[in-house]
Amino acid sequence: MPLGCGLISSYCESLPELKNNYNFEILFTFKKLGDLVCQMDNPRVVGIACYVWNLKISLQLAKMVKEVFPNCVIVLGGYSVPKDPVRIEEFFSHNPAVNIMVHGEGEITFSEILISLLSDSDLTRVEGISHKTPDSTSGFTTSSPRQRIENLDILPSPFLNGTFDKIMSKYGEVTTGAILETNRGCPFACTFCDWGDAEVNQVKKFSIDRVMEELNWLSKNKVFYIYGADANFGIFYQRDLEIAEYMAQLCQNKGFPKYYMINYTKNSHEKIANLAETFRKGGITTTVTLAMQSYSPQTLEAIKRKNIKPKNFLALKKSFQDRKLSTYLELILGLPEETYESFVDGLEKSMTSCLSDRFVIYLCYLLENTELGSRASREKYQIESRECALGMSRREFNEDYLDPEIEKIVVATSSMPTHDWGKGYIMGYFCMVLFNFRLGFFISCFLRDQFGVPCSEFIEYIISEAQKNPDEFKFLHKGYEHLNKQKQLILDNKCSMSPVEGLGETVLSPYEGLIAIFLRDVESLNDELERVAKKFLDCNNFSCDDVAFKEIFLYQSIRTPSFHPPEQTLYNFQTNIPDYFDALINGMPTPPLGKASTTVELSVPTQKSETFLDFVLTRIMAGHTMHINDLEIIRERQKACP
């Protein structure tokens, strides 16, 4: 359900002058773009909300509307509407169908545009817009900025005034979820982010009674998924805890909502753990984001990001681990002042042996109106970027739209040349798959615990062997080649996602593609990981008992998901490897490796996927988690012998 359009429509309809002179309708299409135009009945004004994933298609729609209804006024709003005068002039010049652009909040601005059009009065009186003025030198006029809305409750709720009831009656069968906004604004100034703008630094709140009523509506209408549009949920702790408790109560009593995707407040502390635990106890799935972006002090200064102190961060993670709460940490590849070495150092610090700790790697994008995307920043940090067709993971490219959406991806800076960016790209996604998604997790943790080998060092060695010895490590080499190909597609200005050979035309993110390749043959993957690990031990003169070494990979293999799950559920170990890893992943001191007859029972989820691709994608959750097989030590362990 489109919250932005719902709020704008609801506010406009609350004004008698507009309600008496206009009819308002929110239109969707899930098929052809022309279907939207066919739904229109000689519109006076069409407003379109734009962002990076729908900007070009929105402009295509504007052109189509103008061709059919030449007198219609086209108004564009959203974060992808440019604010810089040079960009505004370019935008109007390249898109003659667009008449007006809205800068900032749209509810009051759009209403004043409509009021102005009723009397054909001068649009320059409307604050917060740029509009075409053919008589001016530049061809457009930008009015003075609009002040932020102080009292958000002047905006009627589309959940509560019937607007979204109409949406549900018309599109309910294909409505997947809702966007919920409890506050608006962000106090941080991150240079890479749309929210990092002085215009939205002050956080405004909707009344808590209104939020509770909206949650009631969502629960009553059995909305499974809510995306939280707050930049920093938890920033008003007592209020947000009350919201979390109420949402959890609704889930327990009525079964909905079940999933809440939220941006927690930056520099998370103990209070965020309380919020996450409240959701979990109520049966609502959510995860805690630890938004680090980088561990490099120079990078953090460059992007105006002040992270939580390392000591406090470790204490925070320990708090989450003790409560069995899942967390994931965000890192961004391509930020200014980051080097390959500092990026790998960040990866290493993110790779803990706790199964509830995860991390995700994002590429650095240059977004319209952000400080990082400005000409000054690009020149200062010698930023190079590529323009790639935007692909949505797990979908096929839509051939109906001849002009694909574009994302600008940073591929080089003054501190990270293109070659190093490429190394970081492959290293980052190998780390995600082998460690974060647990396909090589246990051997990596073992080497670090027993020999002090950084996990990143071992994974760099795997990449090197996969690259240099394709005949010896055919499977790992195939994974390396996939990432290398995808990296080159970015450098060639093509796309950031692509299909995997043999799995149809569905495009996958880099790590999803690599997981699909590796899970195609788990036995071969583990065989090559065992051989490359043995080679690594020999190269470094490390010694390990042969039986224990073999059983590390037996343990890894039975915990790795497989499309064809094994019929065997009981496994006998000659050593205490199961006890060893049980202690390691739970933050306990690891016992000395030794002989100890141990039996484990494997628990594998019921296989419901009909295709291999569906199996891979259903095992990956929220973009940073993969469910690995569970096991339980079921026999009394004998005392380990030296």
Side-chain angles (χ1 to χ4, degrees):
M1 284 174 279
L3 181 62
C5 290
L7 286 166
I8 292 172
S9 172
S10 297
Y11 180 73
C12 290
E13 286 195 276
S14 73
L15 304 177
E17 185 176 5
L18 296 183
K19 188 174 179 61
N20 294 334
N21 286 282
Y22 290 96
N23 295 318
F24 296 89
E25 189 169 4
I26 298 173
L27 301 179
F28 285 73
T29 184
F30 300 95
K31 298 177 183 178
K32 301 284 187 180
L33 193 59
D35 291 350
L36 271 176
V37 183
C38 291
Q39 293 180 61
M40 298 179 185
D41 182 13
N42 193 26
R44 178 71 176 95
V45 182
V46 170
I48 308 174
C50 303
Y51 197 43
V52 63
W53 50 64
N54 77 333
L55 177 60
K56 287 197 172 185
I57 194 174
S58 296
L59 294 170
Q60 191 175 337
L61 173 63
K63 182 180 178 182
M64 293 171 69
V65 171
K66 208 72 165 182
E67 288 172 350
V68 179
F69 307 108
N71 295 323
C72 176
V73 176
I74 305 292
V75 182
L76 258 60
Y79 278 115
S80 286
V81 169
K83 297 178 181 178
D84 177 74
V86 175
R87 288 285 297 119
I88 292 172
E89 184 173 3
E90 291 175 352
F91 195 92
F92 273 136
S93 174
H94 295 156
N95 303 287
V98 178
N99 300 104
I100 303 170
M101 290 190 281
V102 174
H103 309 296
E105 292 173 309
E107 293 93 349
I108 295 177
T109 304
F110 192 74
S111 72
E112 291 186 1
I113 291 171
L114 297 183
I115 291 171
S116 180
L117 292 175
L118 280 176
S119 58
D120 291 323
S121 61
D122 188 357
L123 283 169
T124 55
R125 298 177 184 177
V126 180
E127 294 178 337
I129 67 169
S130 294
H131 67 286
K132 288 182 176 176
T133 48
D135 295 337
S136 64
T137 304
S138 61
F140 70 93
T141 299
T142 297
S143 62
S144 58
R146 178 172 297 280
Q147 296 298 309
R148 294 273 309 283
I149 300 172
E150 286 295 325
N151 177 15
L152 293 176
D153 285 330
I154 68 168
L155 309 175
S157 169
F159 295 101
L160 307 176
N161 68 356
T163 298
F164 283 166
D165 289 319
K166 296 176 186 177
I167 296 292
M168 289 297 285
S169 65
K170 193 172 182 179
Y171 303 106
E173 292 185 1
V174 289
T175 299
T176 57
I179 300 169
L180 180 69
E181 188 180 38
T182 77
N183 66 58
R184 185 181 290 184
C186 180
F188 299 96
C190 305
T191 64
F192 56 85
C193 180
D194 287 313
W195 274 324
D197 186 334
E199 293 179 13
V200 296
N201 280 165
Q202 191 175 0
V203 183
K204 314 288 186 179
K205 294 177 284 189
F206 289 93
S207 70
I208 193 163
D209 290 342
R210 170 192 174 123
V211 174
M212 299 305 194
E213 289 182 44
E214 290 178 336
L215 287 171
N216 266 325
W217 187 94
L218 290 162
S219 183
K220 178 183 176 181
N221 283 274
K222 299 181 178 180
V223 174
F224 177 88
Y225 174 91
I226 297 176
Y227 186 93
D230 301 359
N232 294 276
F233 187 76
I235 196 168
F236 306 111
Y237 175 66
Q238 290 299 332
R239 164 194 161 93
D240 292 344
L241 180 61
E242 191 175 344
I243 292 170
E245 289 172 341
Y246 191 71
M247 197 181 302
Q249 180 184 336
L250 286 171
C251 181
Q252 285 184 319
N253 295 339
K254 300 181 180 180
F256 296 90
K258 296 291 291 182
Y259 194 98
Y260 190 37
M261 181 66 184
I262 188 66
N263 301 291
Y264 282 100
T265 186
K266 313 303 181 284
N267 301 340
S268 303
H269 41 65
E270 182 74 15
K271 293 177 180 179
I272 302 306
N274 294 338
L275 291 169
E277 191 167 36
T278 299
F279 286 123
R280 186 186 66 182
K281 287 180 177 178
I284 294 176
T285 300
T286 187
T287 53
V288 177
T289 306
L290 303 176
M292 296 297 288
Q293 280 85 51
S294 173
Y295 281 88
S296 163
Q298 293 80 12
T299 298
L300 295 174
E301 183 178 354
I303 63 173
K304 298 182 179 177
R305 194 65 185 89
K306 189 175 182 180
N307 277 344
I308 189 170
K309 294 178 180 179
K311 181 181 177 181
N312 295 340
F313 179 68
L314 293 174
L316 173 66
K317 292 196 80 171
K318 180 67 165 55
S319 174
F320 288 128
Q321 292 166 5
D322 290 345
R323 300 185 193 205
K324 307 297 183 185
L325 292 170
S326 295
T327 64
Y328 76 96
L329 187 145
E330 296 175 329
L331 297 175
I332 300 177
L333 174 65
L335 291 172
E337 301 298 333
E338 190 87 81
T339 65
Y340 173 77
E341 291 75 20
S342 68
F343 178 69
V344 172
D345 177 66
L347 288 171
E348 184 62 39
K349 289 175 178 174
S350 304
M351 292 190 280
T352 77
S353 57
C354 178
L355 286 179
S356 62
D357 279 353
R358 299 176 180 89
F359 62 93
V360 63
I361 297 168
Y362 297 114
L363 301 180
C364 184
Y365 299 96
L366 298 179
L367 301 176
E368 188 77 59
N369 303 319
T370 61
E371 184 177 340
L372 190 63
S374 68
R375 179 176 299 177
S377 285
R378 295 199 308 270
E379 291 176 354
K380 179 178 180 179
Y381 298 111
Q382 299 175 38
I383 293 173
E384 292 183 31
S385 63
R386 297 291 188 272
E387 294 191 356
C388 296
L390 187 150
M392 299 295 281
S393 179
R394 308 187 182 199
R395 294 167 175 81
E396 295 184 13
F397 277 102
N398 195 330
E399 295 180 358
D400 292 334
Y401 310 134
L402 302 179
D403 193 12
E405 305 297 339
I406 294 296
E407 50 189 3
K408 295 182 180 180
I409 301 172
V410 174
V411 298
T413 65
S414 56
S415 57
M416 184 182 284
T418 305
H419 176 265
D420 284 0
W421 176 88
K423 281 176 59 183
Y425 180 92
I426 292 173
M427 177 64 177
Y429 288 120
F430 253 92
C431 286
M432 275 193 72
V433 171
L434 292 181
F435 197 93
N436 195 56
F437 290 96
R438 314 309 187 199
L439 301 191
F441 174 79
F442 295 101
I443 179 59
S444 300
C445 288
F446 170 79
L447 291 174
R448 180 169 59 189
D449 181 64
Q450 289 291 301
F451 305 111
V453 176
C455 296
S456 55
E457 181 181 326
F458 176 55
I459 294 174
E460 278 185 316
Y461 182 83
I462 292 174
I463 295 171
S464 175
E465 289 297 310
Q467 183 181 8
K468 293 187 302 184
N469 299 304
D471 294 332
E472 186 178 358
F473 301 108
K474 294 179 181 178
F475 209 59
L476 291 170
H477 180 74
K478 186 175 181 181
Y480 169 80
E481 282 297 302
H482 172 75
L483 286 184
N484 197 46
K485 177 198 76 172
Q486 185 59 71
K487 175 200 74 176
Q488 196 58 46
L489 287 173
I490 293 174
L491 294 176
D492 291 342
N493 293 288
K494 292 186 177 177
C495 58
S496 62
M497 300 181 187
S498 62
V500 173
E501 184 180 353
L503 294 180
E505 294 304 311
T506 299
V507 300
L508 301 176
S509 63
Y511 61 85
E512 288 174 335
L514 190 57
I515 290 170
I517 290 169
F518 284 167
L519 288 187
R520 205 70 182 267
D521 188 346
V522 173
E523 187 176 343
S524 294
L525 172 65
N526 283 304
D527 172 66
E528 291 193 9
L529 285 175
E530 182 177 346
R531 287 191 285 111
V532 77
K534 183 67 169 67
K535 194 171 182 179
F536 181 81
L537 288 174
D538 292 343
C539 288
N540 289 280
N541 295 316
F542 295 141
S543 62
C544 179
D545 176 78
D546 289 343
V547 176
F549 185 74
K550 279 280 184 186
E551 291 195 339
I552 290 170
F553 289 92
L554 171 62
Y555 188 92
Q556 175 73 66
S557 66
I558 64 177
R559 299 212 66 174
T560 301
S562 174
F563 183 48
H564 301 290
E567 296 180 3
Q568 182 181 351
T569 58
L570 296 179
Y571 292 84
N572 297 312
F573 286 76
Q574 300 177 49
T575 69
N576 63 341
I577 284 294
D579 282 312
Y580 172 84
F581 282 121
D582 188 59
L584 187 63
I585 63 179
N586 285 293
M588 305 294 289
T590 54
L593 294 181
K595 303 293 182 183
S597 179
T598 311
T599 301
V600 301
E601 183 174 18
L602 180 65
S603 174
V604 180
T606 303
Q607 178 62 273
K608 297 181 181 180
S609 303
E610 295 184 2
T611 67
F612 171 71
L613 179 59
D614 186 49
F615 159 74
V616 171
L617 298 181
T618 53
R619 292 306 287 263
I620 300 172
M621 302 294 291
H624 52 76
T625 303
M626 188 165 74
H627 294 310
I628 60 174
N629 297 331
D630 292 325
L631 57 80
E632 182 181 357
I633 302 171
I634 63 170
R635 290 186 183 175
E636 183 177 351
R637 278 81 69 194
Q638 299 176 5
K639 186 177 180 181
C641 300

